[in-house]
Amino acid sequence: MDKGRFAVPAAVTDRAIAVGVAALLLGTGLSGPHPAGGRELLGSALLAAGGLALAARRRAPLVVLAFTGLSAAGCLAAGFEVLAVSYLVAVYGAVRAGHRAVALTASVGLVAVLHLTALVFHAGPAREVVAQARNTLEIAWLIAAFAAGEAVRQAERRADEAERAREETARRRADEERLRIARELHDSLTHQISVIKVQSEVAVHVARRRGEQVPETLLAIQEAGREASRELRATLEALRDDDTSPPHGLDHIANLVKGFRTTGLETTLTIEGHPQAVPTAVGRTAYRIVQESLTNVARHAAATTASVLIDYRPDALAIRVDDNGKATPHPAPTSGLGLLGMRERVTALGGRLRTEPRSAGGFTVQAELPTNGAS
């Protein structure tokens, strides 16, 4: 969470706290009543080790919790009556990391161990022995450490949730703005560019059929129209794409058909021609056409069967979806991917779309998407 320009790294802070706690424990232990000789060295080593272990409290909070608890019990057994500050900091770290139950269980167990240690290693009246154990681990300090760790954990959790909410809001607004721009571009430019492209191609075609020389300016207009159409199509696809998941294409149609079978609609998939790689935009549009067609069949046509045909042609990809339901000339669009959405996608690729009732009953959706020059 330390993201400020002059923030101190967490590892440096942890080491400083560990050294400070070790120095505090040694100073407190050696300045008060304590044993001499080997027990003094052992107790001092345990005090220092318990404090220095806090340097790893972020990486291994439970290990540090256990080690500082054992150090506190060892120091009491050696004859030092020092508040187990290192264990309190370890409890704070463990609770902050989310190990509340473990910290509570370990603390209850340590309180019992400290009382048993005092009874075994210290002579004197039971009241004084219990007081020695209490001085090593005050219940009030233990509760305070637990509460502080939980408060910081809750604050960090709320901060993380707020950050995620801000990121989600910003992402949603960006998506909405992209879609708005795509609609504006489509409404204002697609029709005009398509008219220029079609009119120039018709003019070139008519001139060539008559055997006339096609003017260079007309050829330039034709090429400019094609290029503008490709650029606009690529821009609209980039604006409409959702980057959170990879786009669906021809490889996903089989699973799509299989999914509709589970709804009770008997759906078949037929592949004709020689399967080959097609431009991403063509594959994505083919998937959307099949998806929307089958969705309309399942929701509105009262059909029992539907067939999907994918035909790989030398310069085009043909898609046909037929059903045996009740034909309706204008199936209700869903989420912007109805007949209007399909027609927009197909037109943007320079293809053709036909939707009409079948003479044998039901409805048919036929699309032809050029694969040469699409991108």
Side-chain angles (χ1 to χ4, degrees), residues 76 80-81 118 122-123 127-137:
L76 181 61
F80 284 82
E81 297 181 21
H122 293 266
R127 180 176 297 178
E128 294 182 2
V129 172
V130 171
Q132 291 173 348
R134 189 183 304 115
N135 291 336
T136 301
L137 188 62

Side-chain angles (χ1 to χ4, degrees), residues 180-372:
R180 186 190 68 79
I181 294 173
R183 286 193 297 268
E184 292 291 337
L185 285 175
H186 183 273
D187 294 342
S188 61
L189 296 178
T190 300
H191 177 68
Q192 289 83 349
I193 291 176
S194 297
V195 170
I196 294 172
K197 179 183 173 185
V198 170
Q199 292 290 345
S200 63
E201 290 179 349
V202 169
V204 170
H205 177 72
V206 170
R208 285 174 176 170
R209 285 192 61 182
R210 292 175 177 177
E212 301 174 355
Q213 180 68 27
V214 181
E216 291 295 330
T217 54
L218 186 57
L219 292 175
I221 292 174
Q222 181 189 43
E223 183 57 32
R226 290 176 178 175
E227 183 63 25
S229 179
R230 285 194 293 267
E231 291 293 336
L232 180 59
R233 182 168 64 248
T235 301
L236 292 176
E237 288 294 339
L239 289 171
R240 287 170 172 171
D241 274 349
D242 181 5
D243 295 332
T244 60
S245 60
H248 290 93
L250 290 173
D251 295 338
H252 300 86
I253 290 181
N255 288 333
L256 177 66
V257 170
K258 183 179 179 181
F260 274 92
R261 289 184 191 137
T262 62
T263 66
L265 180 66
E266 185 180 343
T267 313
T268 59
L269 173 63
T270 304
I271 307 293
E272 293 185 353
H274 299 286
Q276 56 187 331
V278 300
T280 303
V282 172
R284 186 185 301 122
T285 300
Y287 178 87
R288 293 302 185 190
I289 290 172
V290 175
Q291 181 187 47
E292 182 59 27
S293 299
L294 292 179
T295 299
N296 284 334
V297 171
R299 291 183 177 179
H300 310 295
T304 57
T305 63
S307 63
V308 177
L309 171 65
I310 306 294
D311 184 10
Y312 290 88
R313 299 175 182 175
D315 59 350
L317 181 73
I319 304 102
R320 177 167 180 160
V321 182
D322 296 328
D323 68 78
N324 67 344
K326 298 177 181 178
T328 55
H330 301 290
T334 58
S335 306
L337 292 175
L339 290 181
L340 179 60
M342 283 194 285
R343 193 170 299 280
E344 288 178 355
R345 289 176 177 268
V346 173
T347 302
L349 291 175
R352 296 194 300 268
L353 178 69
R354 219 176 87 198
T355 58
E356 59 185 7
R358 298 168 59 207
S359 58
F363 201 79
T364 183
V365 175
Q366 301 178 43
E368 185 175 322
L369 307 175
T371 56
N372 53 342

Side-chain angles (χ1 to χ4, degrees), residues 51-112:
L52 295 176
L54 295 175
R57 64 188 176 89
R58 293 180 192 267
R59 298 190 302 273
L62 296 183
V63 174
V64 172
L65 183 71
F67 184 81
T68 54
L70 294 175
S71 298
C75 290
L76 181 61
F80 284 82
E81 297 181 21
V82 181
L83 179 64
V85 177
S86 59
Y87 181 77
L88 295 176
V89 177
V91 167
Y92 163 82
V95 174
R96 181 179 176 180
H99 306 292
R100 293 173 295 179
V102 176
L104 179 60
T105 303
S107 298
V108 172
L110 181 60
V111 170

Side-chain angles (χ1 to χ4, degrees), residues 4-77:
R5 183 175 179 182
F6 301 104
V8 179
V12 176
T13 303
D14 290 344
R15 293 191 188 103
I17 292 175
V19 172
V21 172
L24 174 65
L25 290 174
L26 282 173
T28 304
L30 295 176
S31 63
H34 62 277
R39 295 178 63 188
E40 179 184 12
L41 291 177
L42 175 61
S44 299
L46 289 174
L47 288 173
L52 295 176
L54 295 175
R57 64 188 176 89
R58 293 180 192 267
R59 298 190 302 273
L62 296 183
V63 174
V64 172
L65 183 71
F67 184 81
T68 54
L70 294 175
S71 298
C75 290
L76 181 61

